[in-house]
Amino acid sequence: MNGVEPIQEASEKPERDREMLGKLDELKTQFFANISNEFRTPLTMMLGPIEEELAEEEQPLPPGRRAGLELAHRNGLRLLRMVNALLDFSHIETGQLEATFEPVDLAAVTEELANSFRVAIEKAGLRLSTRLETLPEPIYVDREMWTKIVLNLLSNALKHTFKGGITLSLFASDESHEIVELRVDDTGIGIPKQELPKLFQRFHRVKGAPARSDEGTGVGLAIVRSLTRLHGGSVTVTSREGLGSSFCVRLRRGTAHLAPERIVHAFRPVATDCTQVGGYVEEALRWPNSGNGLGNLPVLDLGDASTEPESRPQARPRVLWADNNLDLRNYVARLLQRTYEVNAVSDIESVLSAATQSRPDIILLGATLPGRDRLELLKELRGVEGAVLTPVILLLARADEDAGIECLDAGADDYLIIPFSSKALLARVRSSLALARLRKESADKLEAANKELEAFSYSVSHDLRNPLRAIDGFTEALMEEAWNQLDEQGRHYLTRVRAATERMNDLIEDLLSLSQISRAFMSRDRVDLSALSQQIRAELSAAKSDRTVEWVIADGLTCDADPRLVRVLLENLLGNAWKYTSKRASARIEVGSDKHHGETVFFVSDNGAGFSMEHADKLFAPFQRLHTTAEFPGTGIGLATVHRIVTRHAGRIWAQGVPDEGATFLFTLSGQP
């Protein structure tokens, strides 16, 4: 008995877990049902008065105010459609949604639905083809459910198709005379193979998939599957990434598979629910119409609802505002356009293009931007020349603190939670622009101070050359003409003067080089780092032919950078490696690259003197040396020069080392492959 009890407990545990998961799922579904029901009442009380106001004929609203109410009404209906979708789904999950199956001329009903949706597809520049076979007998379906099945599949195809077209087919199946098939084929982006098994799960979305809109409840395809199952049918999908997808709904003929009490045998003529169809079509018409969810629709003049004082045209700051939702894009543009020059775009590629070309004073990113993650976009923006200090505000659909912290950590200057008031939005933009102005003033002052310092450094270094040449010349003459006349102490003093003169000359040359690098004009081109490293290796080896060094230089190292500056960079890094391995019997120097989070990182590594990591932060400051000149000669300017070159390329440089084991210098360059 003692050996049996643990086995019984182990076998019961999965059952208890499944029971708990089932209850949790049931509670979740009930929650969606409750919240959807609760939303419907206030939505009705909002939409009713708005519709009455819009229908008023005796005292019609002026155009500006009417446009604002139409915007509110349109989005109220959209919210109602989403609430209804969630409610439908919760009813399906709990078994509360009951179908009424009636004989329907399925080809005629489907054709009417296709024709209703055709305007949205053709407006997007796509073709809609229909191949609807007249069936020998009516098919028993719930008309409202069939409408949702067809429109959800057409909406899904339109959302993810940017060229070519959509084909809607209805025909008797070749597999069995008892089966009727509805197919929706598109030439869209396709679906990754690993995503296909999860496609009909509720709330599942393919991350990063290009789409005309990122909005929606995420239950459309789940509803299609559930409604099809209520008809005793099935839905499947086949797809090839980049080529398109094909959804197939299979229904059975006759009524043997249906519950008898849910069947109505009376035949009615075709009658489509115009309200339901209109909602799908109107939403699709408001999606952007060019590829990748892209294309900038014009900003509508919705009248003057801003409380901001109008600015003088010549003083208007430039705002780059991006969101995929046309209504929200127009609404925010209307709020901003009295005070600011607004460039409203609908996608990430347009953001990057506008940030580069028009140099906005502030960037405002909405919550719906298809194609890529907005936090990745933030990193890209910080790499755009001229946009490093541009303030960026994000609109967030999530109201939790972690989302805001995540945005600030990624480089955003501020964020605003949706829904927001117009006053809050305008205040955030105002304050961010004010802080940006202060930052720019500080940056300008710092740049001016740096230029003055560089000019001073250059001037001093240049002016020091003449007296230094005199000292060098006279000490050299003394050594040649009076060496034998000097005693041992005199010769020692003269030798030290000569050494100090040479060191001073090296220091001046390095300072001049650092100053010139900071001021030099940059011209980017494709640079072969492998070939350049081989040239420098040959030069170093020729200068000291008695040294044996193992060189490992990877092939195919290339980047987009200034060729002259990159040569100076490699000369310093390889020269450092050559110098600090000089006391090694078996010296080794390696040049290569690695990938870190998709970014190319180049490195120069050696097995020389190395350094302690506690000093790593001092390496790239001017005149910082970790070894005496007696151990290794140098001025302490080389790595500062390297750091400045990398910074000018919008890259990063850091170092790793172990005392007496070697050092590795790693760097990135903007524009590298």
Side-chain angles (χ1 to χ4, degrees), residues 602-634:
F602 302 106
F603 65 83
V604 173
S605 181
D606 66 65
N607 66 341
F611 61 89
S612 173
M613 287 301 292
E614 64 184 76
H615 303 304
D617 58 335
K618 301 177 182 178
L619 288 173
F620 302 103
F623 311 115
Q624 293 293 327
R625 290 180 49 81
L626 303 182
H627 302 86
T628 66
T629 54
E631 293 177 291
F632 298 101

Side-chain angles (χ1 to χ4, degrees), residues 42 95 160 163 166 186 190-191 196 222 334 360 364 398 508 522 538 552 573 577 619 631:
H160 298 288
K163 59 182 180 180
I166 300 169
D186 65 59
I191 304 160
L196 290 174
R334 173 172 63 91
L364 186 62
R398 288 166 55 194
I508 289 173
M522 280 181 57
V552 180
L573 289 181
L619 288 173
E631 293 177 291

Side-chain angles (χ1 to χ4, degrees), residues 485-502:
Q485 301 174 25
L486 295 173
D487 58 17
E488 185 176 346
Q489 187 176 33
R491 291 174 182 176
H492 173 69
Y493 288 156
L494 185 57
T495 301
R496 291 188 63 180
V497 170
R498 286 286 299 161
T501 302
E502 290 176 2

Side-chain angles (χ1 to χ4, degrees), residues 387-531:
V388 176
L389 297 178
T390 304
V392 179
I393 301 177
L394 266 64
L395 301 187
L396 300 182
R398 288 166 55 194
D400 58 283
E401 184 180 7
D402 289 344
I405 293 173
E406 187 180 18
C407 290
L408 296 176
D409 284 344
D413 294 82
D414 204 349
Y415 64 91
L416 197 59
I417 305 295
I418 297 173
F420 53 84
S421 69
S422 59
K423 289 183 178 180
L425 174 68
L426 294 169
R428 296 294 177 91
V429 172
R430 253 195 328 267
S431 61
S432 293
L433 281 170
L435 287 172
R437 279 194 293 271
L438 290 175
R439 281 204 302 261
K440 189 175 185 307
E441 289 172 5
S442 299
D444 289 345
K445 289 178 181 177
L446 181 61
E447 185 180 0
N450 282 334
K451 286 182 178 178
E452 288 180 8
L453 184 60
E454 287 171 7
F456 172 75
S457 174
Y458 180 83
S459 176
V460 169
S461 300
H462 189 271
D463 292 343
L464 284 174
R465 275 177 157 180
N466 288 332
L468 191 64
R469 286 195 188 102
I471 295 172
D472 185 55
F474 285 121
T475 54
E476 185 179 8
L478 272 173
M479 293 188 76
E480 291 177 357
E481 299 176 11
W483 182 261
N484 294 328
Q485 301 174 25
L486 295 173
D487 58 17
E488 185 176 346
Q489 187 176 33
R491 291 174 182 176
H492 173 69
Y493 288 156
L494 185 57
T495 301
R496 291 188 63 180
V497 170
R498 286 286 299 161
T501 302
E502 290 176 2
R503 176 168 167 72
M504 187 68 174
N505 185 67
D506 291 342
L507 187 60
I508 289 173
E509 290 297 328
D510 286 348
L511 280 172
L512 287 172
S513 175
L514 181 63
S515 175
Q516 289 165 355
I517 283 169
S518 301
R519 300 186 301 171
F521 174 77
M522 280 181 57
S523 176
R524 288 183 181 270
D525 201 350
R526 178 65 62 171
V527 181
D528 187 337
L529 274 72
S530 299

Side-chain angles (χ1 to χ4, degrees), residues 15 142 151 154 156 195 214 278 289 300 330 368 379 393-394 403 430-431 434 442 509 599 615 629 632 660 663:
E15 293 179 5
D142 181 295
L151 293 181
L154 287 175
N156 183 73
E195 296 287 345
D214 272 359
N289 295 324
L300 304 180
N330 284 324
T368 56
K379 294 178 183 178
I393 301 177
L394 266 64
R430 253 195 328 267
S431 61
S442 299
E509 290 297 328
E599 183 180 33
H615 303 304
T629 54
F632 298 101
D660 204 38

Side-chain angles (χ1 to χ4, degrees), residues 355-377:
T356 303
Q357 297 175 12
S358 61
R359 300 290 180 90
D361 297 299
I362 188 169
I363 299 172
L364 186 62
L365 301 179
T368 56
L369 281 172
R372 267 181 291 172
D373 183 77
R374 288 188 305 168
L375 301 186
E376 294 178 4
L377 172 61

Side-chain angles (χ1 to χ4, degrees), residues 205 207-215 288 292-296 320-325 328-329 344-352 363-378 381 392-395 397 418:
R205 294 189 179 190
K207 187 176 180 180
R212 294 180 185 276
S213 172
D214 272 359
E215 299 174 330
N292 201 21
L294 318 175
N296 302 321
L320 174 57
W321 154 232
D323 195 272
N324 191 245
N325 182 292
L328 181 61
R329 196 160 71 245
V345 300
S346 65
D347 61 271
I348 284 176
E349 297 307 321
S350 296
V351 172
L352 291 171
I363 299 172
L364 186 62
L365 301 179
T368 56
L369 281 172
R372 267 181 291 172
D373 183 77
R374 288 188 305 168
L375 301 186
E376 294 178 4
L377 172 61
L378 269 173
L381 283 172
V392 179
I393 301 177
L394 266 64
L395 301 187
I418 297 173

